[in-house]
Amino acid sequence: MAAAGSKFIPKVVLSSSAGQRSMPVLGFGTASDSTDATLVKTAALEAIKLGYRHFDTASLYGSELALGEAIAEALKLGFVGSRDELFITSKLWLNDAHPHLVIPALQKSLQNLQLEYLDLYLVHWPISAKPGKVQLPVKQEDIIPMDYKSVWADMEESQRLGLTKAIGVSNFSTKKLQNLLSFATIPPAVNQVEMNTIWQQEKLTEFCKANNIIVTAYSPLGAKGTPWGSNHVLDNKVLKDIALARGKTVAQVSLRWIYEQGATSVPKSYNKDRLKENLEIFDWELTEEDLQKISQLPQKKFILNVTLGNGIDPNFLQELWDGEL
Ligand code: A2P
């Protein structure tokens, strides 16, 4: 049973991937403070039925097991013809961002997801933490500068071994990407970052375009309802007016805007109606006037220190984002 939506979600090719893998531009996000496995599994199955084929998780999120169960069930029930039709991303957590820990961490994610390969494996943050128990927020004294060359060599090895079709990064500034590109044999295919109408990432998006790196927007709707997000996107007056004029919702305007920037996005919703709503952005356009108004929205980065907590040294944060705040 092929779901109707899957036909309408455009795809982008990941340039440095094995076999020129392509990624659906809209995915099912699972960055949530809810760890209710039944909720995640039910929503993921609904999403597959609606046509979602791209699923975003991370070892940190606690959603890999539930997502794995949903995928196995969807395959068993014939909601998707084969594993190959799905695009699955997971991420390397800080404690495992060390030489020789990368591949075991990826194998653990594969085991959780009941998969033989990922489509995309991302370095979650450009920092490492002492190997061992995951603690959130990460304590300043546990943070270790990343050995980029060795970690990336292991990421490349994981692609060569066929454990993932593509590799990339998350939360990397242009400066950190530039450094990575200077020695990478397999350049990162993706940089997943906070991106929405209130944090538009113009400079980073341009840099990524020029370097064949696909940008994936996390918190595309401002992560409303989570401890790290707020209603700053969904309650924005300018976006509300545009939505009203187009006969769309603010969420649709926000996701359409990201798509029109050439970026991909992974909105999180565990609600069937909103999952459907978020898919309905491919058969209309924002007008020049809409784009102009959105380009003038005051900008603010919201996701600064969810991983690192509030007690973090402000100088460390400036360095983490290389002043791109
Ligand atoms: P829910 O899971 O109840 O749908 P982000 O993707 O930026 O992290 O935002 C996620 C938040 O936005 C969640 O609270 C999610 O709630 C909510 N959300 C997702 N889609 C929509 C939508 N179409 N309209 C309103 N809220 C939405």
Side-chain angles (χ1 to χ4, degrees):
M1 185 180 77
S6 59
K7 295 193 196 101
F8 304 113
I9 306 176
K11 291 181 177 181
V12 283
V13 175
L14 302 184
S15 59
S16 58
S17 60
Q20 295 287 287
R21 195 81 178 148
S22 57
M23 169 201 253
V25 301
L26 190 88
F28 173 93
T30 63
S32 161
D33 57 338
S34 162
T35 50
D36 181 340
T38 310
L39 185 68
V40 180
K41 184 181 169 186
T42 310
L45 270 170
E46 279 303 340
I48 291 175
K49 281 197 258 178
L50 286 166
Y52 284 81
R53 292 293 179 267
H54 170 178
F55 293 82
D56 182 83
T57 182
S59 68
L60 179 76
Y61 299 164
S63 55
E64 286 179 333
L65 278 169
L67 197 53
E69 281 181 24
I71 293 166
E73 199 161 312
L75 285 165
K76 200 169 95 192
L77 297 174
F79 294 167
V80 275
S82 70
R83 153 69 182 98
D84 195 46
E85 291 173 25
L86 298 171
F87 188 100
I88 316 291
T89 303
S90 194
K91 311 184 190 85
L92 174 75
W93 190 241
L94 277 56
N95 304 74
D96 294 318
H98 300 278
H100 314 301
L101 293 183
V102 175
I103 290 177
L106 170 48
Q107 282 165 331
K108 177 75 186 153
S109 287
L110 288 174
Q111 194 188 342
N112 286 342
L113 286 157
Q114 305 180 40
L115 296 176
E116 287 183 357
Y117 66 89
L118 289 178
D119 295 283
L120 179 64
Y121 196 47
L122 303 177
V123 175
H124 206 146
W125 284 84
I127 43 176
S128 302
K130 278 183 199 159
K133 199 169 173 290
V134 174
Q135 265 196 321
L136 261 190
V138 181
K139 290 199 212 115
Q140 180 105 46
E141 61 264 30
D142 287 346
I143 297 171
I144 303 168
M146 183 178 289
D147 177 348
Y148 290 109
K149 285 191 180 166
S150 308
V151 168
W152 194 252
D154 279 11
M155 292 291 285
E156 291 178 342
E157 185 60 11
S158 66
Q159 179 168 327
R160 286 193 197 101
L161 289 170
L163 299 172
T164 183
K165 300 283 182 196
I167 51 176
V169 294
S170 181
N171 296 300
F172 271 49
S173 65
T174 52
K175 190 173 165 191
K176 288 190 170 63
L177 283 175
Q178 225 151 13
N179 173 45
L180 181 55
L181 289 170
S182 73
F183 58 78
T185 312
I186 303 177
V190 167
N191 186 20
Q192 184 177 127
V193 292
E194 177 185 0
M195 178 182 177
N196 53 54
T197 46
I198 307 298
W199 189 240
Q200 299 186 5
Q201 297 276 25
E202 214 179 309
K203 181 180 162 203
L204 187 73
T205 310
E206 268 172 35
F207 179 88
C208 287
K209 249 180 219 158
N211 288 281
N212 286 324
I213 299 170
I214 300 291
V215 172
T216 299
Y218 73 68
S219 301
L221 305 174
K224 182 179 176 172
T226 68
W228 58 90
S230 89
N231 55 3
H232 61 290
V233 173
L234 291 176
D235 282 356
N236 182 278
K237 171 85 173 67
V238 174
L239 297 176
K240 278 184 175 173
D241 289 347
I242 295 173
L244 197 65
R246 300 279 141 260
K248 305 292 172 191
T249 66
V250 174
Q252 288 171 327
V253 168
S254 307
L255 296 172
R256 175 76 204 181
W257 177 84
I258 291 170
Y259 174 57
E260 291 192 17
Q261 307 313 299
T264 63
S265 67
V266 285
K268 176 262 160 188
S269 180
Y270 292 163
N271 171 283
K272 188 180 170 184
D273 294 334
R274 288 190 284 279
L275 280 166
K276 184 168 181 293
E277 178 184 320
N278 295 347
L279 274 186
E280 291 167 355
I281 60 162
F282 299 114
D283 57 354
W284 55 278
E285 286 176 11
L286 291 164
T287 65
E288 274 307 315
E289 201 189 338
D290 295 338
L291 292 170
Q292 181 65 20
K293 283 185 192 155
I294 294 174
S295 74
Q296 284 164 9
L297 289 174
Q299 296 295 293
K300 184 165 157 53
K301 176 161 182 51
F302 270 76
I303 319 288
L304 277 178
N305 48 9
V306 52
T307 298
L308 304 169
N310 290 325
I312 211 83
D313 176 358
N315 293 327
F316 177 86
L317 274 185
Q318 278 295 336
E319 211 172 290
L320 179 66
W321 301 109
D322 294 312
E324 294 172 13
L325 288 172

